[in-house]
Structure formats: structure tokens, C-alpha cells
Amino acid sequence: MGSARAQERHVICMKWGTKYGPEYVNRLYAMVRRHLRGEFRFICLTDDAAEIRPEVQCLPIPALELPAGLPERGWTKLATFSADLHGLSGTALFLDVDVVVTGSLDEFFQEPGEFLIIHDYKRPWRITGNSSVYRFEIGAHPDVLGYFRGHFELVRQKFRNEQAYLSDFLHQQGKLRYWPSGWCPSFKYHCIPAWPSNYWKPPIVPPEARIVIFHGECNPPDALAGRRNRRFRHIEPAGWVAEHWRE
């Protein structure tokens, strides 16, 4: 029984505040179900479970337990490294709620390594990962959270955000590995055609893509509508978003 529990697969996402509605979680579950063979549990760590579909197990976001008055926002994902994450055990694949799954997820649970994350797109010479997609054994890295709680001011001075701290901490232990480069492309950097063809060519799905990452100026409904939040940077509508980003 213990070994069966250890082999359990979980897909975990996190939703707090009002930026993302329940439809993001519901569509993410549907995309995962279409692209991941076999059994898995889908967990949403959230402060509001309203209107989230019943196949998703909603659990509270564990407290970071920072000193009173210090901001938790921006560091919240570190709660996934709690020594006891609601009694769960096994392998967890964490996905941001605003990703679009376009290909098989099976290999995300098969790729060797203790901790896997996307290599940062913009500065690949750095070790920093992008934490939109990472995989870990639940409960295996409690020191990530323990050190953060005990040295919050030091961590905040040294690192801009949770993914920079997390990457550095696990790199120092020799546990950091990156997903194959084509698996998790950035919509911003890899899907939008180069200027000036972005004015007549729609965004593409790169051939090896499995999970398209949205960060910065656009999220899936923006991409679908051909909207960008920065002036003078045009995109045509990405019709393929509708094919994948649905229940």
C-alpha cells in the first residue's frame, strides 16, 4: 500500500484572489484529462472553490507562516513544498492556471530527475527556472520552505521572486534539472511571428510544444482575441487556443 501511494500522480494548480476565475481551473483540468493517460488526482490549492468542477479536489493554500505584516504574494507557490501537504504523497506536476496544454503530458511524469522546471527563456545563461511547470516528490524538499521561513528578509534581498530562490536553492543541492527545451515554449517568445510578419501571420504552436506558457502581456483569452497589453506590438488572433483551452 505504501509503495502504491508513493507512485500516485498528482497535478497541482493554485488559484487565489480574483485575477483568474474558476473557468481557468476547469479548462486546465479538461486539458490535462485529454493529454495525460492513466489515473491522476487533480488538486487546486485555493482560497475560493466556488464553481470549480467536481473532478477537482480543492484544498486550502498552506500558510507560508511569515512574520506578521510581511507580504506573501509572489512567494505563495513555495507552500507546495510543505513537509505535509494535506497528507498527499507521490509525484506532483505543478501547472500555472493560465497555461495551454497542446500535447502529451505522459513524459512529464517519466523524465528522470528529482526536481524539474522550465529553464528561463530570456536569460538562459542563468540557472533560474520558470515555475509555470515543475515536478517534485511531495514532501521531499521541506527545507525549501523551512529555510525561506527562517531567512525571509535575506531571501527577499537576494532573489526577485519565488522561482529564482527555488532554482538557486535546489541547484546548490545538485537537484535542479530542466525540461527538454521544446516542451514548454513561451507564447510571447516562441509563438508570435517576428516583426513585421506578426501583422499578418497568426501565432503558431511550436512543433515540440506540450504546454504553452503565458507570461507578461497576454493570457489565453487575449491570445485568442488577438489582444496585447503593450502598445505597438500587434498579434493576430491565435485560433488554436480555442481548440485546446476548453472544457
Side-chain angles (χ1 to χ4, degrees):
M1 177 72 182
S3 113
R5 272 181 65 79
Q7 289 163 15
E8 276 193 280
R9 300 187 304 170
H10 304 78
V11 177
I12 297 177
C13 69
M14 194 176 273
K15 180 180 87 70
W16 72 91
T18 57
K19 183 177 180 182
Y20 299 106
E23 72 278 7
Y24 279 82
V25 178
N26 295 339
R27 292 175 186 194
L28 182 60
Y29 170 82
M31 291 187 290
V32 171
R33 181 67 283 175
R34 288 194 289 271
H35 290 288
L36 181 58
R37 291 181 296 183
E39 294 304 308
F40 63 89
R41 290 171 77 178
F42 194 100
I43 310 286
C44 180
L45 301 173
T46 185
D47 58 3
D48 182 6
E51 298 180 51
I52 292 178
R53 57 192 293 169
E55 299 96 330
V56 176
Q57 183 178 2
C58 291
L59 297 169
I61 299 171
L64 286 182
E65 297 174 11
L66 301 182
L70 289 175
E72 295 202 0
R73 201 174 172 81
W75 301 91
T76 313
K77 284 186 196 175
L78 295 180
T80 59
F81 297 97
S82 299
D84 179 3
L85 186 61
H86 295 296
L88 301 173
S89 67
T91 306
L93 180 68
F94 183 94
L95 302 177
D96 274 354
V97 291
D98 60 347
V99 303
V100 173
V101 181
T102 61
S104 170
L105 298 178
D106 297 346
E107 291 78 10
F108 282 88
F109 283 95
Q110 297 161 5
E111 186 72 8
E114 284 189 65
F115 179 84
L116 289 110
I117 195 167
I118 303 168
H119 203 172
D120 183 57
Y121 304 110
K122 203 166 182 183
R123 300 176 182 87
W125 59 89
R126 294 185 180 177
I127 61 151
T128 299
N130 176 308
S131 62
S132 295
V133 182
Y134 60 89
R135 193 197 75 204
F136 63 104
E137 293 300 309
I138 297 173
H141 310 286
D143 48 344
V144 167
L145 188 53
Y147 184 87
F148 174 75
R149 284 172 172 158
H151 305 84
F152 177 75
E153 287 298 347
L154 183 66
V155 169
R156 195 165 62 158
Q157 286 166 25
K158 190 174 177 185
F159 301 102
R160 273 187 64 217
N161 51 34
E162 128 281 324
Q163 62 191 18
Y165 162 68
L166 175 62
S167 303
D168 183 82
F169 192 90
L170 290 170
H171 171 71
Q172 298 293 339
Q173 297 182 350
K175 296 175 180 174
L176 184 72
R177 286 200 64 225
Y178 304 111
W179 300 116
S181 59
W183 287 12
C184 303
S186 155
F187 180 78
K188 178 178 175 180
Y189 295 127
H190 303 122
C191 300
I192 300 171
W195 183 90
S197 62
N198 58 310
Y199 278 86
W200 63 85
K201 288 184 179 176
I204 60 152
V205 180
E208 294 178 53
R210 293 154 187 251
I211 304 173
V212 177
I213 309 306
F214 288 79
H215 54 100
E217 56 199 84
C218 235
N219 61 24
D222 293 325
L224 185 56
R227 285 190 302 261
R228 284 180 93 166
N229 299 328
R230 294 178 67 175
R231 294 176 67 202
F232 312 124
R233 293 199 177 180
H234 177 82
I235 55 167
E236 288 291 290
W240 51 265
V241 171
E243 176 192 340
H244 299 286
W245 196 63
R246 60 181 172 82
E247 288 205 39

